[in-house]
Amino acid sequence: MSKKLSLRPDICYMLGVAQFGRDEPSIYIISRIDDVIERFVKIAMGSFKIEPSKLLSSEEEGLKKILFYNSAAKRLMQNALKDKERIFKYRNDYSASYFAGIYDSRGMLDGKVVYLGRLDIVDIVILERLGFHMAGRGRVRNSKEFMDFIMQYSAKAH
């Protein structure tokens, strides 16, 4: 792999949805939603060229986990995330896809209100700069506008 991640909306989605192993070079997702799992798998196989046999899966009480090991991809993704304030500073397909990934992996819609869990301060600052106003416990104040923004890229918003 190259020294820099070639950004496209699907890669940006993966940056939002994926989690990383602490001590091993793993990239994974945990979800109950089949469409989110499916999208993760398609991007892993398509954009990261992961062979289907290298995707490890498990399921416990309806919670599915898909994992693959790739130290170069993990390093490139983590380096891109260090620069996310610059990468996602505009309302474009990249930031829409990134925040769709965050919504798909740790967000929820309660009635008409969107909640995004486990956001770091940089994500909150980026959202505010993009015009999405955050309140306590990850609530997006202008939830309809946020959902319209990510709808095209979200696997679970449809």
Side-chain angles (χ1 to χ4, degrees):
M1 292 189 130
S2 68
K3 290 183 179 191
K4 240 181 163 186
L5 198 57
S6 174
L7 292 179
R8 297 183 308 277
D10 62 335
I11 299 290
C12 292
Y13 178 85
M14 192 70 123
L15 289 171
V17 80
Q19 297 181 55
F20 304 103
R22 280 196 184 151
D23 300 324
E24 75 279 343
S26 65
I27 300 169
Y28 65 94
I29 184 171
I30 299 172
S31 181
R32 294 185 189 282
I33 302 163
D34 289 336
D35 290 342
V36 174
I37 296 284
E38 205 173 291
R39 178 119 188 250
F40 178 88
V41 168
K42 282 181 184 175
I43 295 170
M45 291 183 345
S47 296
F48 290 98
K49 308 290 186 239
I50 304 299
E51 295 293 322
S53 62
K54 301 290 184 188
L55 290 165
L56 309 171
S57 65
S58 63
E59 184 173 351
E60 192 174 308
E61 297 178 18
L63 200 58
K64 297 174 182 145
K65 180 177 183 177
I66 303 289
L67 171 138
F68 64 90
Y69 292 94
N70 187 314
S71 57
K74 178 183 174 185
R75 185 178 60 253
L76 289 173
M77 289 176 72
Q78 287 179 320
N79 286 340
L81 286 171
K82 288 176 186 171
D83 201 21
K84 66 185 173 181
E85 195 171 359
R86 183 190 60 79
I87 295 170
F88 304 121
K89 75 182 202 180
Y90 300 109
R91 268 200 197 203
N92 58 23
D93 292 337
Y94 292 171
S95 55
S97 190
Y98 172 70
F99 285 108
I102 287 176
Y103 172 76
D104 285 358
S105 66
R106 51 190 193 258
M108 64 178 262
L109 186 61
D110 185 13
K112 294 183 178 182
V113 179
V114 172
Y115 291 91
L116 300 173
R118 297 187 326 266
L119 290 176
D120 66 22
I121 191 68
V122 177
D123 287 329
I124 292 169
V125 167
I126 294 168
L127 284 164
E128 287 286 341
R129 288 179 180 166
L130 293 175
F132 301 110
H133 305 295
M134 303 303 294
R137 291 177 296 189
R139 182 171 64 89
V140 181
R141 287 189 178 159
N142 46 341
S143 292
K144 182 182 178 338
E145 187 179 347
F146 178 80
M147 290 305 290
D148 291 344
F149 179 61
I150 67 164
M151 183 64 70
Q152 178 181 351
Y153 296 102
S154 174
K156 81 176 188 185
H158 295 99

